[in-house]
Amino acid sequence: MSSTEKGRLSTPEGFICGGIAACIAVTISNPAEVAKTRLQLQGELAKGGEKKVYKSALDVFSKTWKNEGIRGMQRGLGPAYAYQILLNGSRLGFYEPFRHAINDFIGRAPNEQIPITSVIAGATSGAVGASLGNPLFLIKARMQAYSPALPVGAQHYYKSSFDALSTIYRQEKFRGLVRGIDAAILRTSMGSSVQLPSYNFTKNQLVKHGILPGNSTWTFLASSTVSGMCVCMAMQPADTALTRMYNQPTKRNEAGKVVGILYRNPIDCLWKTFKTEGVRGWYKGTTAHFLRIAPHTIVTLTANDLIINLYKSIKHRNS
C-alpha cells in the first residue's frame, strides 16, 4: 500500500470526522442562525413601510436574550446537530471520493486539484447531504422562527424535534417532510460548490508560496476564513428562499394536497421577493448569515483537519 493510500480516509471515516467537526461548530453558530432566520422572514413580501420588529442582527440577539433567554438563542439546536452530521458528514466525507472519481473518469490523477472537478464534487456532495437532512433543516428553521414574544413570519410551535416530525407527517405525510428540498439542494449546492474548493485552493497557495506551513492551525484558520466569505456570498439568495419556503403557511388544495400559500418553488420565491422587496430582499440577514457562516466554516474546516490528523495519528500508531 502506498503512503498516499495509507493516509487516505475511507468514506465512513471521513463522514464521521466531518460530522463531529460540524457539531462543534453549530453549537457556536446556532444563535446567529436564529437571528438570520428571523431577519429573513421580517417584512416578507412587503413593499416597504412595514414596522420592523428587529433593527439588526445585534438587535435580534439582544431582544431574543431578553425575552427568551438561552433557550431562545439556541432554538432548533437539537435538529441542527442531527442535520449537521448528515450534511457536513456527507459534504466532507463524500467530497474527496467524488472528486477522485470524477478526476479518474476524465483520465486525470485522483489527487490533482482541478477547479471544475472540485466545484462539481463540492456541489454533488452538498446536494446529497441536503437531501438526506431536509426534514431536519425544515423543523430547525421553523423552530428558530418561532418566538412567543416577538414573532415574525408564520409561526409553528413544536414541543420537540420528534413532535415536529410526527406533526408534519401526520398532517402532510412524506410530502411534508421533503417540503423545500429543491430549495435546500439549490442552497447547499451553491455553498458546497465553493466551500471546499476555496478552502483547499487558499491552503495550497499559502503552503506553495511559503506563507504558512501545511499543518499549522493558522493555515487552517486563514483558509477557512476565506472559504466562509465565499460561501456567504454564493449562498445568501438561495438561503433566504429556503427559509421562506420552509416557513410559509400551507393549505390543502382541491386535489387534497397540502401546498404552500406563498411560493411554488425556490425560483418563484426569489422572483416574488425581488418584485416586492428588490434585491435587498434576497440579502436580508446577510450580516447575521456571515456571523453564522464565518465561525461555522472556520470551526468546521479547522476542526475537521485537526480531527482527521488526530485520528490518522492514533490509527497509524495502533496499526
Side-chain angles (χ1 to χ4, degrees):
M1 180 182 293
S2 67
S3 59
T4 300
E5 290 174 331
K6 186 177 180 181
R8 189 183 300 169
L9 295 184
S10 67
T11 298
E13 289 173 326
F15 186 101
I16 293 169
C17 289
I20 294 172
C23 284
I24 295 171
V26 80
T27 306
I28 299 169
S29 66
N30 195 64
E33 177 85 352
V34 172
K36 174 190 70 71
T37 298
R38 295 181 180 186
L39 287 170
Q40 287 174 330
L41 293 171
Q42 179 170 258
E44 186 174 12
L45 297 186
K47 290 190 175 182
E50 77 281 1
K51 185 178 179 180
K52 291 186 176 181
V53 176
Y54 304 109
K55 299 175 183 176
S56 64
L58 294 179
D59 190 43
V60 181
F61 291 142
S62 174
K63 288 178 177 176
T64 302
W65 176 260
K66 180 180 178 181
N67 292 289
E68 303 171 53
I70 188 65
R71 183 176 182 181
M73 298 287 285
Q74 290 287 15
R75 283 194 189 279
L77 185 59
Y81 280 140
Y83 174 74
Q84 287 300 328
I85 291 172
L86 288 172
L87 173 65
N88 283 293
S90 298
R91 187 154 57 184
L92 298 173
F94 296 148
Y95 172 73
E96 288 297 338
F98 284 169
R99 190 175 66 81
H100 292 161
I102 296 169
N103 280 4
D104 184 61
F105 179 76
I106 63 174
R108 304 289 285 270
N111 290 325
E112 186 177 353
Q113 292 287 342
I114 306 170
I116 185 62
T117 61
S118 296
V119 169
I120 293 172
T124 306
S125 59
V128 171
S131 300
L132 292 174
N134 189 74
L136 296 163
F137 201 117
L138 169 67
I139 64 172
K140 176 181 75 70
R142 290 183 176 183
M143 286 178 167
Q144 290 171 336
Y146 175 75
S147 172
L150 297 169
V152 290
Q155 295 288 284
H156 304 268
Y157 172 70
Y158 304 115
K159 297 176 183 178
S160 65
S161 299
F162 292 109
D163 178 54
L165 292 170
S166 61
T167 299
I168 293 170
Y169 183 78
R170 189 168 57 250
Q171 294 175 348
E172 306 177 48
K173 303 304 179 185
F174 181 72
R175 183 185 177 91
L177 296 177
V178 297
R179 177 175 302 283
I181 193 170
D182 47 357
I185 292 173
L186 175 65
R187 168 194 179 271
T188 309
S189 295
M190 291 178 71
S192 297
S193 68
V194 299
Q195 185 189 45
L196 287 174
S198 61
Y199 175 77
N200 288 330
F201 176 80
T202 304
K203 186 167 70 170
N204 289 338
Q205 292 302 307
L206 291 173
V207 175
K208 180 180 177 181
H209 292 93
I211 299 172
L212 290 169
N215 290 323
S216 168
T217 301
W218 290 110
T219 305
F220 303 152
L221 286 171
S223 303
S224 53
T225 299
V226 173
S227 177
M229 290 188 289
C230 292
V231 170
C232 188
M233 288 188 291
M235 200 166 65
Q236 177 63 29
D239 188 78
T240 299
L242 177 65
T243 299
R244 293 185 173 192
M245 286 282 293
Y246 277 156
N247 199 65
Q248 68 173 320
T250 59
K251 67 177 181 180
R252 195 172 294 277
N253 64 15
E254 295 177 355
K257 293 182 178 180
V258 177
V259 297
I261 292 176
L262 301 178
Y263 316 108
R264 296 191 303 273
N265 53 58
I267 304 303
D268 182 51
C269 178
L270 288 170
W271 174 241
K272 287 179 177 176
T273 299
F274 175 75
K275 282 202 304 181
T276 54
E277 303 169 59
V279 174
R280 291 182 65 182
W282 289 352
Y283 289 90
K284 281 186 174 180
T286 300
T287 301
H289 191 188
F290 184 73
L291 291 175
R292 184 201 79 85
I293 203 70
H296 185 87
T297 303
I298 290 169
V299 174
T300 298
L301 296 178
T302 301
N304 187 60
D305 264 338
L306 294 173
I307 290 169
I308 285 175
N309 288 338
L310 177 63
Y311 176 73
K312 283 181 178 179
S313 67
I314 295 172
K315 180 180 178 181
H316 295 155
R317 190 185 308 149
N318 296 330
S319 61

